[in-house]
Amino acid sequence: MVPLSYYLILSGVLFACGVTGFLIKRNIITIFMSIELMLNGVNLSFVAFAAQWHALSGQVFVFFVMVVAAAESAVGLAIIIAVYRTRETLNVDKVNLLRL
Amino acid sequence: MIHLTIFSIFAVICVAGAVNLLVQRHPINGALSLVVVMGSLAVEYLLLGAEFLAAVQVIVYAGAIMVLFIFVIMLLNAGVEEQTKGSRVAILLGIPGMLVGSLLLSWVLLEHSGTQAVAAGALPGSPRVIGWLLFHDFLLPFEVTSVLVLIAIMGAVVLAARPEAAQEKRKG
């Protein structure tokens, strides 16, 4: 028997790692992987709450999150390829056309 | 007891993989540590009784999505990340922020949540039950998501196709 709060702490730590990676990384692919890490952390808390409240809809929701994450990563990686083709770099500091 | 032991082992592996993602400079190492995180999360799902989700996690996340990532890393020949002035400032602010945030969150959760234990397999999320729910209660969201995935596939093809190749096709 594992207390619910342990699962929530694990999911919170994963989410915090994802946010930190998003902030400190400069490679656009690694930033994208940090977003996936955040999504995984949230999924874990969904499943933990589903088990806690005996509501299977939580697990169905995680399924939908996974599908949307797959779609998001396909489009995002295509955008990364397009960015690399035009700017020849993966460093987000050098993709600053919109900066004032 | 054994439940708690398995949880702890895979929680440690999971957090170690996530921290490794932050430490590694090369994106391919980051991608492989993300696979470790996803694999150990699948075990946590199994502990919570979500069998179907554990399988989907391994097949879709650790399989399909990460293969896509690794393909793109190899296609673009991504090298070691460059350090810039901005990234040093971000490290100085980001790492303490993460530590403070995680500790605060853990403290609040440990102090203020009812620590009612979740039994192993208390809620069996077998493919049969999930499938019944998907095609009865969640039929409309399911169909809408399928349209979304279709649009995403077409968008990925349009975005990733070379402009010259598309023009040549149109001409001849």
Side-chain angles (χ1 to χ4, degrees):
Chain A
M1 302 283 273
V2 181
L4 175 72
S5 50
Y6 290 8
Y7 284 108
L8 295 183
I9 289 171
L10 177 60
S11 110
V13 168
L14 284 182
F15 190 86
C17 284
V19 173
T20 315
F22 190 88
L23 290 176
I24 70 173
K25 289 293 181 182
R26 281 295 163 269
N27 189 313
I28 193 166
I29 298 177
T30 320
I31 289 177
F32 209 60
M33 288 195 283
S34 307
I35 297 175
E36 298 291 327
L37 191 59
M38 283 192 260
L39 282 170
N40 270 285
V42 174
N43 278 351
L44 180 62
S45 68
F46 259 121
V47 179
F49 275 122
Q52 175 80 5
W53 305 118
H54 291 269
L56 268 175
S57 355
Q59 296 191 4
V60 176
F61 207 96
V62 171
F63 176 75
F64 283 126
V65 171
M66 283 176 180
V67 174
V68 173
E72 170 240 342
S73 70
V75 175
L77 289 169
I79 291 175
I80 290 175
I81 291 177
V83 166
Y84 186 79
R85 208 169 271 147
T86 51
R87 309 207 49 116
E88 296 281 318
T89 181
L90 287 174
N91 191 332
V92 284
D93 282 342
K94 291 185 182 152
V95 187
N96 54 3
L97 209 62
L98 281 177
R99 186 182 279 176
L100 282 172
Chain B
M1 191 59 212
I2 187 156
H3 189 188
L4 188 61
T5 318
I6 297 174
F7 170 82
S8 318
I9 293 171
F10 281 95
V12 168
I13 294 175
C14 203
V15 174
V19 171
N20 198 33
L21 174 69
L22 302 182
V23 172
Q24 294 290 343
R25 303 280 302 282
H26 202 286
I28 201 104
N29 296 340
L32 292 180
S33 52
L34 200 55
V35 172
V36 171
V37 172
M38 283 161 180
S40 44
L41 269 183
V43 178
E44 307 283 1
Y45 289 170
L46 272 183
L47 280 181
L48 285 165
E51 306 156 20
F52 175 68
L53 282 183
V56 170
Q57 171 91 1
V58 171
I59 294 170
V60 173
Y61 250 129
I65 295 184
M66 292 321 291
V67 165
L68 203 60
F69 268 96
I70 289 173
F71 269 171
V72 170
I73 292 171
M74 293 196 298
L75 183 71
L76 301 185
N77 201 9
V80 174
E81 194 181 358
E82 304 160 33
Q83 289 277 4
T84 54
K85 195 169 149 246
S87 74
R88 275 187 213 103
V89 174
I91 287 173
L92 279 179
L93 292 177
I95 303 265
M98 179 195 85
L99 287 178
V100 169
S102 314
L103 287 178
L104 203 67
L105 187 87
S106 314
W107 180 77
V108 168
L109 282 174
L110 282 177
E111 287 290 313
H112 295 281
S113 76
T115 49
Q116 200 184 338
V118 180
L123 180 73
S126 62
R128 184 191 156 94
V129 189
I130 299 279
W132 196 90
L133 263 180
L134 266 182
F135 290 106
H136 283 80
D137 298 5
F138 293 93
L139 186 59
L140 182 66
F142 184 80
E143 294 298 335
V144 172
T145 330
S146 69
V147 174
L148 175 83
V149 171
L150 190 66
I151 294 170
I153 294 170
M154 291 192 292
V157 170
V158 168
L159 280 171
R162 274 218 230 84
E164 315 95 65
Q167 271 179 357
E168 272 169 31
K169 219 177 201 178
R170 222 170 288 144
K171 273 181 200 160

